[in-house]
Amino acid sequence: MFELNDIVCFRENHKWVGCIGFVNEIKKVKDKDGNDTLRLMIGVPVPQQGTAYIFAMRDEVENLQCATKYPYEIKVKEE
């Protein structure tokens, strides 16, 4: 299952294969056969350009199960 800010990698059946991104939005939709599935909006950081947002179905990405979610929270050490 996917949660917001999960780190994912695109699989071979997507044109962005190998790119790593984070889940920004999750929608429940019906596939061609009428079965419930998920449509994900994946944010992929692009150096010096910002973030590209790509839509993918649940079977087109793999959840990398990272311990820390993106975006990372930066804490300032108090003295």
Side-chain angles (χ1 to χ4, degrees):
M1 198 63 182
F2 294 95
E3 294 179 12
L4 291 179
N5 296 327
D6 277 349
I7 307 296
V8 297
C9 181
F10 289 95
R11 292 186 177 168
E12 301 85 27
N13 55 347
H14 197 279
K15 72 177 189 174
W16 283 68
V17 62
C19 289
I20 294 176
F22 59 95
V23 177
N24 194 334
E25 183 180 300
I26 303 171
K27 284 189 176 181
K28 290 184 180 181
V29 295
K30 301 247 186 223
D31 64 6
K32 298 179 220 175
D33 302 326
N35 299 325
D36 288 333
T37 189
L38 298 176
R39 188 178 102 181
L40 310 167
M41 184 166 69
I42 311 295
V44 177
V46 179
Q48 300 179 349
Q49 298 294 320
T51 304
Y53 292 97
I54 298 104
F55 289 100
M57 300 304 278
R58 169 176 41 194
D59 59 341
E60 295 176 326
V61 293
E62 179 178 349
N63 192 341
L64 297 180
Q65 304 292 326
C66 292
T68 305
K69 307 281 187 189
Y70 182 91
Y72 303 110
E73 185 175 311
I74 300 172
K75 295 183 181 180
V76 178
K77 184 177 179 181
E78 294 181 19
E79 296 182 29

